[in-house]
Amino acid sequence: MKGKGSKMNRTIKSAVAVAAIAAMSLGTLAACGSSTSGDDAKGKVYYLNFKPEAADQWVALAKEYTKEKGVEVKVQTAASGTYEQTLKSEIAKTEAPTLFQVNGPVGYQNWKRYTADLSNTDIYKELTNQNVALKDGDKVVGVPYVMETYGLIYNKDILNKYFALDGAKAKSIDEIDNFDTLKAVADDMQARKDELGIQGAFTSAGFDSSSDWRFKTHLANLPLYYEFQKDKVTEQPATIKGTYLPNYKKIFDLYITDSTTDRTQLSAKTGDDANSEFALGEAAFYQNGTWAWTDLQKAGMKAESVGIMPIYIGVKGEEKQGLATGSENYWCINDKASDADKKATEEFLKWVITSDTGKKALSQDMGFTTPFKTFDDVKSDNPLTEAAVEDQKSGKTQVSWNFTMMPSEEWKNKVGQALLEYAQGTGNWDAVKTAFVDGWASEYAASH
């Protein structure tokens, strides 16, 4: 999950699991010595797993499948940060992975020759929203198995207190479905912060490395999303126009103006600061995602006090905009595998998302939020996850994760630095535009 900081993975990461990977043999077999595991007619499965924190759980799940179905399932997990390198090595072998992962459109470009069309598979058919699949024209090349969502987390208690005030700019959260209303409410809350007992409408937009990814990556996704939609961009472009950068400026200005913190102090503010401000009731709005609930809960927040809404930036028709939901974990089936192995891999994945054993492993043992209809009966104790699931069913258009197309970490860093200098008054918005648009072209050229 590049670019989101370590907090994003806290809900599923385990130091023990990561350490355990060092002890794993490269060829962990789920059915060593099974009399049926060598049956070529049944095919076999070889999964190169991306997530070290789920290594042991995948091995256990593979063993259960082999025990139940008599089909060999081999699991290998790449050490953290080495997945591409490991996949290049393994894909060249005679016994190559039948199942592997890509992180999105950019990662797909390296492996497009190996991706089978998943249009007729159960994992694609069972997606709650098929728009989240990774596609190349009409071909479905990847299906996400972990979904995460971000937006504006809000404190229901503070907002309900505000809605009850005379002259409130909205009377319910349902009325805040566009940028203009959001701004009117936030401006009014900031002006009446003493009356509300808060320090600002928004938590601090910190630019310490534990926090800046929220703005240089996640917030920057919004103008990219609308530009790519308008221009029908489906692959990483060599250049961008910056069509919606004025909208990016509008929402960022709101964050740093109606804030708990003076804009000149943002360089020192951390992600923990923002989390604490929100948990202590010092702010009503906090840009973050479903992964933030663990920290908020630890800080004493109650599930009934928390909600999440889309980030509005003032684009026509945004009343129909949903939350930003996406993935950097897409399953791909190796098209160069034998027909029997491809079929066996499809059947294994079908079992993973439909059987009680598989569903428990993904949702409870691995802690994943999954995008399949078969998980509709699986309830989460994370109120942000539950809100995200409802949003996906609402008929609103989910904002896709286009930051997976950003050309480099260096591009993000330069955008982040320009944003900070703008916020502090030592730079201007033109520098942000230059970093965003010109920087994209130069970083793309450097990587190609």
Side-chain angles (χ1 to χ4, degrees), residues 14-274:
S14 161
V16 175
V18 173
I21 190 62
M24 287 180 61
S25 64
L26 288 181
T28 304
L29 285 180
C32 295
S34 168
S35 61
T36 56
S37 66
D39 188 343
D40 290 338
K42 287 186 176 181
K44 55 188 178 299
V45 182
Y46 172 11
Y47 179 32
L48 185 61
N49 171 44
F50 172 78
K51 288 178 167 291
E53 64 272 16
D56 294 340
Q57 292 91 332
W58 274 114
V59 170
L61 191 59
K63 287 180 178 178
E64 284 297 319
Y65 185 73
T66 298
K67 182 179 178 181
E68 184 175 322
K69 302 292 186 180
V71 175
E72 177 185 331
V73 180
K74 173 183 175 180
V75 175
Q76 176 178 332
T77 300
S80 181
T82 69
Y83 192 81
E84 285 289 299
Q85 176 185 343
T86 305
L87 181 54
K88 285 177 184 176
S89 173
E90 292 298 304
I91 208 83
K93 296 179 178 178
T94 303
E95 297 290 327
T98 64
L99 178 63
F100 62 94
Q101 293 181 222
V102 298
N103 68 350
V106 175
Y108 163 66
Q109 294 305 313
N110 295 329
W111 303 104
K112 59 192 306 181
R113 293 188 301 116
Y114 293 90
T115 54
D117 189 351
L118 306 179
S119 301
N120 292 319
T121 62
D122 287 276
I123 55 171
Y124 175 66
K125 293 175 182 176
E126 291 292 346
L127 283 172
T128 301
N129 175 8
Q130 292 185 334
N131 290 331
V132 302
L134 188 61
K135 297 179 181 179
D136 187 346
D138 293 331
K139 182 181 176 184
V140 177
V141 296
V143 171
Y145 67 93
V146 181
M147 298 298 291
E148 291 175 299
T149 296
Y150 68 92
L152 284 179
I153 303 173
Y154 60 88
N155 186 310
K156 293 181 179 179
D157 301 329
I158 295 174
L159 281 174
N160 286 335
K161 186 175 181 180
Y162 170 74
F163 295 146
L165 295 178
D166 290 338
K169 303 301 181 182
K171 291 298 183 182
S172 75
I173 193 66
D174 294 333
E175 293 180 26
I176 309 177
D177 62 358
N178 60 81
F179 176 80
D180 289 342
T181 305
L182 174 63
K183 184 178 188 307
V185 168
D187 286 350
D188 197 32
M189 294 183 82
Q190 191 75 16
R192 305 168 79 171
K193 61 183 183 180
D194 291 341
E195 196 175 351
L196 290 167
I198 60 176
Q199 294 186 14
F202 291 89
T203 60
S204 54
F207 273 81
D208 168 272
S209 62
S210 65
S211 176
D212 66 346
W213 52 268
R214 294 187 292 137
F215 315 108
K216 69 184 184 184
T217 303
H218 282 183
L219 191 61
N221 183 70
L222 272 295
L224 290 176
Y225 165 74
Y226 279 108
E227 178 174 329
F228 292 172
Q229 262 206 331
K230 183 172 185 275
D231 296 341
K232 296 179 171 58
V233 173
T234 57
E235 295 183 357
Q236 184 190 36
T239 61
I240 58 174
K241 299 174 184 175
T243 309
Y244 294 93
L245 286 182
N247 303 83
Y248 186 39
K249 180 179 184 298
K250 282 164 59 171
I251 185 65
F252 186 65
D253 281 346
L254 192 62
Y255 283 1
I256 62 177
T257 301
D258 295 345
S259 173
T260 58
T261 305
D262 188 276
R263 56 198 295 169
T264 62
Q265 306 299 313
L266 295 180
S267 63
K269 286 291 182 176
T270 68
D272 286 339
D273 289 328

Side-chain angles (χ1 to χ4, degrees), residues 143-437:
V143 171
Y145 67 93
V146 181
M147 298 298 291
E148 291 175 299
T149 296
Y150 68 92
L152 284 179
I153 303 173
Y154 60 88
N155 186 310
K156 293 181 179 179
D157 301 329
I158 295 174
L159 281 174
N160 286 335
K161 186 175 181 180
Y162 170 74
F163 295 146
L165 295 178
D166 290 338
K169 303 301 181 182
K171 291 298 183 182
S172 75
I173 193 66
D174 294 333
E175 293 180 26
I176 309 177
D177 62 358
N178 60 81
F179 176 80
D180 289 342
T181 305
L182 174 63
K183 184 178 188 307
V185 168
D187 286 350
D188 197 32
M189 294 183 82
Q190 191 75 16
R192 305 168 79 171
K193 61 183 183 180
D194 291 341
E195 196 175 351
L196 290 167
I198 60 176
Q199 294 186 14
F202 291 89
T203 60
S204 54
F207 273 81
D208 168 272
S209 62
S210 65
S211 176
D212 66 346
W213 52 268
R214 294 187 292 137
F215 315 108
K216 69 184 184 184
T217 303
H218 282 183
L219 191 61
N221 183 70
L222 272 295
L224 290 176
Y225 165 74
Y226 279 108
E227 178 174 329
F228 292 172
Q229 262 206 331
K230 183 172 185 275
D231 296 341
K232 296 179 171 58
V233 173
T234 57
E235 295 183 357
Q236 184 190 36
T239 61
I240 58 174
K241 299 174 184 175
T243 309
Y244 294 93
L245 286 182
N247 303 83
Y248 186 39
K249 180 179 184 298
K250 282 164 59 171
I251 185 65
F252 186 65
D253 281 346
L254 192 62
Y255 283 1
I256 62 177
T257 301
D258 295 345
S259 173
T260 58
T261 305
D262 188 276
R263 56 198 295 169
T264 62
Q265 306 299 313
L266 295 180
S267 63
K269 286 291 182 176
T270 68
D272 286 339
D273 289 328
N275 184 83
S276 178
E277 291 160 13
F278 187 75
L280 291 173
E282 296 173 359
F285 299 105
Y286 172 34
Q287 187 201 301
N288 216 322
T290 47
W291 54 88
W293 172 241
T294 301
D295 288 337
L296 293 174
Q297 187 177 39
K298 285 179 182 176
M301 292 207 80
K302 303 298 183 185
E304 58 269 22
S305 296
V306 177
I308 187 168
M309 60 183 280
I311 302 169
Y312 299 113
I313 64 172
V315 177
K316 185 178 180 181
E318 65 184 350
E319 292 83 358
K320 298 177 182 178
Q321 176 193 313
L323 296 165
T325 295
S327 180
E328 289 186 283
N329 294 276
Y330 293 85
W331 277 328
C332 301
I333 292 178
N334 186 353
D335 200 34
K336 298 187 183 299
S338 70
D339 288 344
D341 288 355
K342 283 191 283 189
K343 182 66 176 175
T345 303
E346 288 181 23
E347 289 298 317
F348 171 64
L349 292 178
K350 176 183 178 181
W351 179 84
V352 168
I353 70 163
T354 59
S355 69
D356 289 342
T357 303
K359 288 163 63 177
K360 176 183 178 295
L362 289 185
S363 63
Q364 296 180 34
D365 301 341
M366 302 183 203
F368 297 158
T369 301
T370 55
F372 306 106
K373 290 180 283 189
T374 51
F375 284 75
D376 285 351
D377 61 338
V378 176
K379 295 300 179 184
S380 170
D381 60 2
N382 181 337
L384 302 178
T385 296
E386 287 298 293
V389 170
E390 289 305 309
D391 187 73
Q392 290 173 42
K393 296 177 181 177
S394 69
K396 291 184 177 181
T397 302
Q398 307 290 295
V399 172
S400 57
W401 282 16
N402 299 279
F403 58 78
T404 56
M405 296 194 204
M406 290 174 178
S408 69
E409 197 66 29
E410 184 63 18
W411 179 86
K412 298 177 191 177
N413 291 337
K414 288 178 178 177
V415 169
Q417 185 60 37
L419 282 172
L420 175 59
E421 290 173 1
Y422 166 73
Q424 295 183 143
T426 57
N428 56 44
W429 192 256
D430 284 342
V432 177
K433 289 167 61 178
T434 298
F436 211 98
V437 179

